[in-house]
Amino acid sequence: MAISMRPSQSLRLWQQVTLAEVRAASHDLTMRQMAILLTVYLDPPPHTVRALAAKLDVTKPVITRALDTMGAMGLVSRHRDERDRRNVLVRRTVEGALFVERFGDLVIEKAAELPL
């Protein structure tokens, strides 16, 4: 099902969602961190630092720094791949799943408030 929006509506939705996030006593994620988080939670696992770096077209240290921050927030966890010790697996957490679910609900709420 396709959603039809004018560019001004989509920007207004993005503004309202980001304003609500800034005002909330929630995690303050950068665009890069949010892209990583949504990739981990919306795309099927496994997720590795290497694969995330390739998907976002950034270096592995960039992903590692973002994961350090998100790990401290409890949104993701990292573990060495026992089958291939060169790989670091990025895993979902309960707190991260709840954050993503709440964020999705927020997007729906703000979309419903958009004027037609």
Side-chain angles (χ1 to χ4, degrees), residues 5-116:
M5 265 188 204
R6 294 185 309 278
S8 61
Q9 287 175 305
S10 64
L11 292 171
R12 180 66 64 190
L13 174 59
W14 187 248
Q15 178 195 35
Q16 294 306 308
V17 170
T18 56
L19 281 172
E21 279 297 293
V22 167
R23 292 174 180 152
S26 184
H27 301 297
D28 190 11
L29 300 178
T30 66
M31 293 283 277
R32 179 173 290 141
Q33 291 166 345
M34 185 60 89
I36 293 167
L37 187 68
L38 291 176
T39 298
V40 169
Y41 282 87
L42 298 178
D43 294 351
H47 300 285
T48 64
V49 170
R50 180 178 294 124
L52 289 168
K55 183 166 185 116
L56 274 71
D57 195 23
V58 296
T59 64
K60 289 189 299 183
V62 167
I63 298 295
T64 298
R65 283 191 300 275
L67 292 174
D68 286 345
T69 301
M70 292 187 302
M73 294 175 181
L75 301 175
V76 296
S77 65
R78 284 181 288 183
H79 306 276
R80 187 67 62 184
D81 185 350
E82 292 303 322
R83 288 177 281 158
D84 184 347
R85 306 270 313 147
R86 296 171 296 173
N87 287 329
V88 175
L89 298 173
V90 180
R91 295 190 181 144
R92 302 167 181 164
T93 65
V94 171
E95 185 174 346
L98 292 172
F99 175 84
V100 169
E101 183 177 352
R102 185 198 56 76
F103 187 79
D105 290 341
L106 176 64
V107 172
I108 291 168
E109 174 189 325
K110 295 303 176 186
E113 294 173 3
L114 282 179
L116 297 176

